[in-house]
């Protein structure tokens, strides 16, 4: 492992340690942001931050916070954004606010107008959400006449803010399937612009809450319009054991056809965001001391009743990747061969994933005094995570180039900090490659990037991985880089193991007994010091337990040194005792690379 001094130049709105033209550049964005056009956003206090506001804020322009009405601004703009408003009743709250003629003439519209006047937007939202969960939508609100005006506004906002080479505004939405309250939501975005997007209306869970029907619609619409799509499942952690199940919607074992179709449309999974982290769970990974991170298990039932018996393995990404190997061995196709993304799921129209600059899930919890109040069903503002972001290695900042990177899974997730992470896998990397000035060039030339595949190891050959992690120049140092491996044994059973592949401060790897990096956070002030940890960790790692006959996957987890959680900062600001806030005072922010798979 090599420790380097960081020498930086500005590329893609962050500092990177290259002095040459790398084959790909790093771009930062959010593929999961809601504006006031989402019913829950409007009902919970965001009545003004529309899609145009969301794009302007992402581009670094000052805007007004929709709830507390202060001026807010990013000190580091994003490179791309998907405004992903819920397709279900998209824009209906705006039509109610505008007392649109599209609603005033109908019985349902009159009911909702009266409810808004008497009880407010939150009551209207809960009424609408209840019809989605229970499968009893209001037909009057599903007509093209009601839906088209808002969809056209969303398209227009994206087109007006898209600046190829400078900022990418994707056209997208969220398909919010909630059978029995289980979260089966998917973010959807297209590589195309207005010409294609104006030919369809977003598919919603009121058309069908079955993923298979959703994929069929994507296939049909792609053929008719020329638009391609990426769908990204999110919050598998609250899916009631359904997101990564081993059966389809009919309860039949997953087939090769199902697996190929799912991966055609869902090459990425969102594994970290405001409603918690979905990488793994401490019950599933008991030997992983870092598994219990931002664990969130508040299922949004909306009156549907809670499921008591949940298959946690179907809720988390690491278990899903292992299950994918098992299914592939049986059917010849892997339904869970996905890359990793993070995004916010903020409903304020403001993409903020920084602990000291976190503007809440909804408007309500952006004010520290309000964090005791319910933000989502059964959860308050203290429960929310200030997360996450998605990093993309692409040739240029355009819809086409970024979209292609999502398709090939050359993307990774972070919980907020802009850590730079490179991962290449191959059979010919050596220790000297870690010190090459053209690390990325070497990686692409001798191996495959994150999201790629290795296969058929020659006799005596073992996969090696070229790894680089660089701290966010405006954030904390790095604690360690870990390789998470999953594999399938000869009996078809899957296993996992976490390896420390690079440790800061010259520490020795002693497995579970490895010395912790330490903690410099001042619990009275919320300040921390970068006097521990490293700025950069670079290494070439070879799997010491490789078996050429076993299917496997490998992905990186990069940990920062401990820093203050947003709740600690708010507790300090409010003069609260740490005992009054039922959440850790400090956390270790992290990045998750997309995996590299090995197939015999």
């Amino acid at each position: 492992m090599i420790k380097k001094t960081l020498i930086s130049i500005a590329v893609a709105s962050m500092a990177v340690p290259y002095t040459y033209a790398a084959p790909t550049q790093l771009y930062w964005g959010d593929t999961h942001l809601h504006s006031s056009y989402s019913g829950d956003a409007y009902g919970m206090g965001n009545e003004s931050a529309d899609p145009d506001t969301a794009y302007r804020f992402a581009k670094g322009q000052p805007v007004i916070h929709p709830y507390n009405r202060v001026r807010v601004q990013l000190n580091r703009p994003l490179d791309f954004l998907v405004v992903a408003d819920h397709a279900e009743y998209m824009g209906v709250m705006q039509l109610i606010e505008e007392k649109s003629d599209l609603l005033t003439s109908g019985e349902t519209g009159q009911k909702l107008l009266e409810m808004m006047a008497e009880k407010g937007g939150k009551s209207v939202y809960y009424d609408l959400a209840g019809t989605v969960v229970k499968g009893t939508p209001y037909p009057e609100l599903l007509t093209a006449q009601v839906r088209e005006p808002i969809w056209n506004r969303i398209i227009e906002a994206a087109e007006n803010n898209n600046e190829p080479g400078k900022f990418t505004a994707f056209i997208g939405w969220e398909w919010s399937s909630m059978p029995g309250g289980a979260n089966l939501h998917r973010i959807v975005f297209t590589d195309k612009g207005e010409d294609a997007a104006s030919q369809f209306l977003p598919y919603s869970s009121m058309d069908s809450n079955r993923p298979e029907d959703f994929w069929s619609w994507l296939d049909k619409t792609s053929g008719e319009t020329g638009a391609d799509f990426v769908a990204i499942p999110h919050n598998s952690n609250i899916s009631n054991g359904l997101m990564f199940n081993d059966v389809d919607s009919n309860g039949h074992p997953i087939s090769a056809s199902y697996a190929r179709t799912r991966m055609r449309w869902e090459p990425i999974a969102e594994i970290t965001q405001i409603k918690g982290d979905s990488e793994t769970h401490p019950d599933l990974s008991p030997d992983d001391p870092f598994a219990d991170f931002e664990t969130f298990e508040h299922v949004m039932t909306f009156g549907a009743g809670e499921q008591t018996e949940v298959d946690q393995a179907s809720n988390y990404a690491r278990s899903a990747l292992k299950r994918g190997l098992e299914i592939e061995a049986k059917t010849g196709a892997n339904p869970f061969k996905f890359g990793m993304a993070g995004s916010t799921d903020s409903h304020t129209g403001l993409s903020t994933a920084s602990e000291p600059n976190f503007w809440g899930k909804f408007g309500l919890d952006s004010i520290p005094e309000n964090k005791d109040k319910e933000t989502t069903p059964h959860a308050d503002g203290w429960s929310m995570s200030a997360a996450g972001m998605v990093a993309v290695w692409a040739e240029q900042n355009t819809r086409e180039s970024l979209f292609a990177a999502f398709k090939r899974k050359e993307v990774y997730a972070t919980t907020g900090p802009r850590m730079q992470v490179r991962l290449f896998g191959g059979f010919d990397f050596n220790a000297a490659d870690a010190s090459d000035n053209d690390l990325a060039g070497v990686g692409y030339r001798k191996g495959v990037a994150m999201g790629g595949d290795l296969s058929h190891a020659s006799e005596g050959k073992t996969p090696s991985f070229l790894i680089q992690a660089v701290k966010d120049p405006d954030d904390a140092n790095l604690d360690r880089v870990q390789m998470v491996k999953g594999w399938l044994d000869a009996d078809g059973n899957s296993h996992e193991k976490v390896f420390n592949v690079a440790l800061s401060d010259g520490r020795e790897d002693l497995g579970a007994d490895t010395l912790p990096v330490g903690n410099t956070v001042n619990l009275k002030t919320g300040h921390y010091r970068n006097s521990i940890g490293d700025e950069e960790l670079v290494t070439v790692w070879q799997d010491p337990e490789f078996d050429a006959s076993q299917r496997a996957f490998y992905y990186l987890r990069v940990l920062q040194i401990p820093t203050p959680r947003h709740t600690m900062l708010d507790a300090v600001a409010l003069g609260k005792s740490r005992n009054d806030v039922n959440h850790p005072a400090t956390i270790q922010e992290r990045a998750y690379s997309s995996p590299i798979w090995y197939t015999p």
Side-chain angles (χ1 to χ4, degrees), residues 30 33-35 49-63 74 77-85 151 153-163 167-173 189 349-351 399:
D30 187 344
L33 183 73
H34 293 269
S35 80
D50 60 12
D52 185 68
T53 302
Y55 286 122
R56 289 190 293 108
F57 180 77
K59 293 163 86 169
Q61 298 175 23
V63 302
L74 287 176
L78 302 184
D79 297 308
F80 63 91
L81 178 67
V82 180
V83 174
D85 284 311
W151 179 236
R153 294 184 203 178
I154 290 171
I155 293 172
E156 181 180 12
E159 294 295 86
N160 289 343
N161 284 282
N162 190 51
E163 302 178 65
F167 180 84
T168 295
F170 284 108
I171 297 172
W173 72 96
F189 63 96
L350 311 176
S351 179
R399 285 172 173 166

Side-chain angles (χ1 to χ4, degrees), residues 289-290 478-482 500 502-519 532-533 559-562 588:
F290 298 100
L478 304 180
D479 166 14
R480 68 187 69 196
V481 178
Q482 299 178 304
N500 290 319
L503 294 166
S504 65
D505 298 330
R507 287 172 293 156
E508 181 183 359
D509 179 22
L510 300 174
D513 296 324
T514 298
L515 290 174
V517 70
N519 191 329
I532 57 175
L559 302 183
Q560 279 189 341
I561 65 171
Q588 287 193 259

Side-chain angles (χ1 to χ4, degrees), residues 541-564:
W541 178 79
Q542 192 172 69
D543 181 1
E545 302 175 4
F546 177 68
D547 184 329
S549 68
Q550 296 176 343
R551 300 175 188 271
F553 64 80
Y554 303 84
Y555 69 86
L556 295 180
R557 184 172 64 184
V558 182
L559 302 183
Q560 279 189 341
I561 65 171
T563 52

Side-chain angles (χ1 to χ4, degrees), residues 6 8 14-16 76 418-419 470-476 530:
L6 181 64
S8 304
M14 76 160 287
V16 300
R76 289 189 292 178
R418 300 190 185 192
M419 293 172 270
V470 184
K471 74 179 288 288
D472 181 333
D474 292 345
D475 216 291
N530 270 330

Side-chain angles (χ1 to χ4, degrees), residues 336 446 514 569:
F336 306 131
K446 296 176 67 172
T514 298
L569 298 174

